[in-house]
Amino acid sequence: MKLSIKSIVLFVALLGAADFAGAQEVKFPQASSGQTIIQDFGLGKITLSYSRPNVKGRKIFGGMEPMGAVWRNGANAATRIKFTDAVKIEGKDLPAGEYGLFSIPGKNEWTIIFNKIADQWGAYEYKESDDVLRVKVKTIALKDKVETLTMQFSAVSETSTTLNMMWENSAYGVNITTSIDEKVMSNIAEAMKGEKKPYFAAAQYYFQHGKDLKQALEWMTEAEKSDPKAPWFKLWKGRIQLKMGDKTGAATTAQQGIEVATVQKVDEYVRLNSELLAEAKK
């Protein structure tokens, strides 16, 4: 079939359009890689999203990033941090929500800023009037240079953690805390009204947080009824008995735990119950 010039031109144009569309979909690496960290914390989560520039032989703090000036705490879009629950930052209240995380570097201290406008490009439109909270922390000098900006959560417990920033030869740490006890106790009380009572988890919480040990023992005994040969129930029941001062009862329970764990070939609980038994015999 003979094609007209018009048909050929149209065909070539369509090919070109297809190539252009394909080119638009090509992905290129970012000069500053992105990272999102989701950290379980308290009864909720902290989500941190930021871009990670490299030093690349430049002078960063006191050079590219002036001392005393607001910094986006990364590259590209401003760093974002989201808390599902209310927290305290260096002892100061911060409501649940998502914030732009900015900072002001200094030779001896940093100012850490939580701004209510989370979606910003850089710090170009940053307004101090939108700040929700500012805290000051000490500057930490690093002996070894950190090439890629690094942020991380360290020393994570149920109710406290530290947010660390490290880049070039400077670092800081921000202490974050939260309160969970009132909410957990309320949740336990409500759950105990239902059909599926969380005996095991509730007893563990009571044991670990200095609550009523008599109640904890009753709940652990109820949990044990669901599987009398489970060595983990024996372990925790024995721990509660020992904490209550009942060394004889703890030793008996630990010995039972060793026996059932040995039969089931669960070495971890043979070891843990053996350790409990040794402690009860002191």
Side-chain angles (χ1 to χ4, degrees):
M1 180 178 67
K2 187 175 181 179
L3 296 175
S4 67
I5 296 296
K6 183 178 180 180
S7 298
I8 294 173
V9 171
L10 179 60
F11 178 69
V12 172
L14 289 172
L15 282 178
D19 288 342
F20 179 71
Q24 288 182 313
E25 296 175 0
V26 174
K27 292 184 178 181
F28 295 95
Q30 294 293 319
S32 298
S33 61
Q35 184 177 62
T36 296
I37 302 169
I38 300 176
Q39 176 64 57
D40 291 342
F41 187 58
L43 300 180
K45 298 179 184 295
I46 305 174
T47 303
L48 176 71
S49 299
Y50 71 111
S51 292
R52 309 181 65 194
N54 291 318
V55 174
K56 296 181 179 178
R58 301 170 295 182
K59 173 63 177 173
I60 303 300
F61 301 115
M64 188 179 73
E65 301 298 340
M67 295 291 188
V70 174
W71 175 48
R72 73 187 83 182
N73 230 89
N76 303 325
T79 296
R80 302 164 75 123
I81 189 165
K82 181 178 181 180
F83 301 93
T84 58
D85 296 320
V87 297
K88 287 183 181 291
I89 307 293
E90 294 292 328
K92 296 183 178 181
D93 291 327
L94 183 68
E98 186 172 28
Y99 303 93
L101 179 63
F102 297 89
S103 59
I104 301 175
K107 183 178 180 180
N108 298 313
E109 68 178 12
W110 284 64
T111 300
I112 312 303
I113 303 167
F114 296 84
N115 188 274
K116 68 180 182 181
I117 309 301
D119 188 10
Q120 300 189 48
W121 185 264
Y124 303 111
E125 297 183 358
Y126 162 82
K127 294 178 181 178
E128 185 175 345
S129 59
D130 290 325
D131 289 350
V132 178
L133 178 66
R134 284 187 170 208
V135 297
K136 294 183 182 295
V137 295
K138 291 182 178 179
T139 299
I140 302 170
L142 299 176
K143 181 180 179 181
D144 298 320
K145 184 177 75 175
V146 176
E147 174 65 23
T148 304
L149 170 63
T150 298
M151 299 187 73
Q152 64 182 29
F153 294 98
S154 64
V156 182
S157 72
E158 289 181 347
T159 57
S160 66
T161 187
T162 301
L163 172 61
N164 306 105
M165 188 290 302
M166 297 158 283
W167 197 27
E168 195 188 25
N169 292 104
S170 191
Y172 66 70
V174 181
N175 294 314
I176 305 172
T177 59
T178 190
S179 178
I180 65 171
D181 188 65
E182 184 177 346
K183 187 178 290 187
V184 171
M185 293 296 285
S186 176
N187 290 344
I188 289 173
E190 188 62 30
M192 287 301 176
K193 298 175 184 178
E195 293 184 5
K196 295 183 178 179
K197 297 176 171 58
Y199 290 125
F200 185 47
Q204 286 179 305
Y205 187 83
Y206 268 46
F207 171 83
Q208 293 169 330
H209 293 84
K211 305 296 182 182
D212 184 347
L213 291 176
K214 182 179 178 181
Q215 179 65 82
L217 182 59
E218 289 178 8
W219 283 339
M220 192 58 69
T221 301
E222 287 299 318
E224 188 180 22
K225 291 177 182 178
S226 67
D227 187 354
K229 295 184 178 181
W232 41 89
F233 290 150
K234 306 294 185 186
L235 174 68
W236 282 95
K237 181 179 179 179
R239 284 175 172 173
I240 295 169
Q241 289 171 314
L242 184 59
K243 195 170 184 178
M244 293 176 72
D246 182 7
K247 289 190 173 184
T248 301
T252 299
T253 303
Q255 184 60 51
Q256 293 171 350
I258 293 169
E259 291 170 1
V260 293
T262 300
V263 171
Q264 297 174 31
K265 298 181 180 180
V266 187
D267 293 341
E268 179 183 5
Y269 282 93
V270 172
R271 174 180 61 80
L272 291 172
N273 277 287
S274 295
E275 291 172 357
L276 176 61
L277 179 60
E279 186 69 22
K281 288 184 175 181
K282 286 183 180 179

